Amino acid sequence: MPIEPATHHPMDFRRIVTGLALAVVLLLVLWHRGWPLLLVILLASALGLWEFYSLFWGHKGRVSSRVCAIVLGWGMLCLTWLHRPQDALVCLGAGFVLAAMSFLFRWDVVEEDNAFASSGIFMAGLAYVPLLLLPATYLSTTKLIFIIAAVAISDTAAYFVGTRFGHHKLWPRVSPNKSSEGAVGSLAGCVIFCAVYGAIYGKTGWFSFALLGIAVNAFAQLGDLFESALKRSVNVKDSGQILPGHGGMLDRADSLLFAMPMFAVVDQWFFFF
């Protein structure tokens, strides 16, 4: 059944300027790599965690739990950076133990029906942000540029195609502003970029890179929809306001958080580069 045409919004030039500025900063950081890259990853993790917890605890709630999660997340990222991923998992396990202790003692005192909810949110933040960011600490510069560019082109194509041609809503209960046309444009843009990249630089040819583009785009769109569902569940439009035209760190990185781990797994089995 056709859906009524969505209302078209004018282009947000703040979004374009912010996107270009982020691209320049990322290219500079990836060029130098080393400590600058690690610092950017740690900053992204901290901001992403703070925004995630703010969705459920408000902007000032449970500060000690947020700081603890940020420290544990930094531990996971730094240890993986130092080629000690087994110790990074210990940090994740330590987070679960702390969450379990918090639940146990709080429930024993007040016997809340939802006493486990905050502990679950604490662990969900660690799994959602720093755990999914781990591949950024060990993927090569070439691979990082590829996956970041593929996701950025997916998002950009979705924005411009959806803004200009969007008439049918993709999933209104999850994200009322996303259109099916934007989703198709996102897929087409990502596949074309990956195929061209594969034809020029890849070891396996354009067709295998086109298939990789389908997988990258699928996970990128899933990540975007997941973050939209989180915001809808708590009636929030943006996860933050740190990036003009984009919202918060999670609003900008949601697609990458899903696509990058998938790419890292595929990269272990198929040698595209």
Side-chain angles (χ1 to χ4, degrees), residues 12 14-15 18 51 227 231 237-252:
D12 189 343
R14 296 179 308 157
R15 182 185 181 93
T18 301
E51 290 176 1
E227 200 247 353
K231 292 184 293 186
K237 182 179 183 294
D238 294 318
S239 65
Q241 302 296 328
I242 193 172
L243 299 173
H246 291 268
M249 178 61 66
L250 288 180
D251 295 317
R252 180 64 274 170

Side-chain angles (χ1 to χ4, degrees), residues 37-178:
L37 176 57
L38 178 60
L39 290 176
V40 167
I41 294 171
L42 295 179
L43 177 62
S45 176
L47 292 174
L49 279 171
W50 194 273
E51 290 176 1
F52 176 83
Y53 292 131
S54 293
L55 292 176
F56 301 96
W57 297 339
H59 293 292
K60 297 181 180 179
R62 299 186 180 274
V63 174
S64 59
S65 295
R66 298 174 195 231
V67 172
C68 181
I70 289 172
V71 171
L72 288 170
W74 282 356
M76 293 165 59
L77 292 163
C78 289
L79 288 166
T80 306
W81 178 272
L82 296 172
H83 308 292
R84 298 188 62 85
Q86 68 277 14
D87 294 331
L89 291 178
V90 171
C91 288
L92 186 63
F96 180 81
V97 171
L98 290 174
M101 291 172 61
S102 174
F103 158 71
L104 176 62
F105 292 121
R106 186 171 61 255
W107 181 83
D108 185 54
V109 173
V110 297
E111 295 188 5
E112 299 176 0
D113 291 337
N114 61 344
F116 190 69
S118 59
S119 297
I121 290 170
F122 178 86
M123 283 304 301
L126 285 177
Y128 181 36
V129 183
L131 183 62
L132 296 186
L133 269 176
L134 289 183
T137 64
Y138 61 81
L139 288 175
S140 69
T141 299
T142 299
K143 294 172 183 178
L144 281 175
I145 291 176
F146 170 80
I147 188 62
I148 292 172
V151 170
I153 288 171
S154 297
D155 290 346
T156 303
Y159 175 71
F160 283 105
V161 173
T163 301
R164 179 65 181 86
F165 302 105
H167 290 283
H168 301 83
K169 294 183 178 181
L170 178 65
W171 197 344
R173 282 184 58 83
V174 172
S175 185
N177 294 326
K178 289 183 175 61

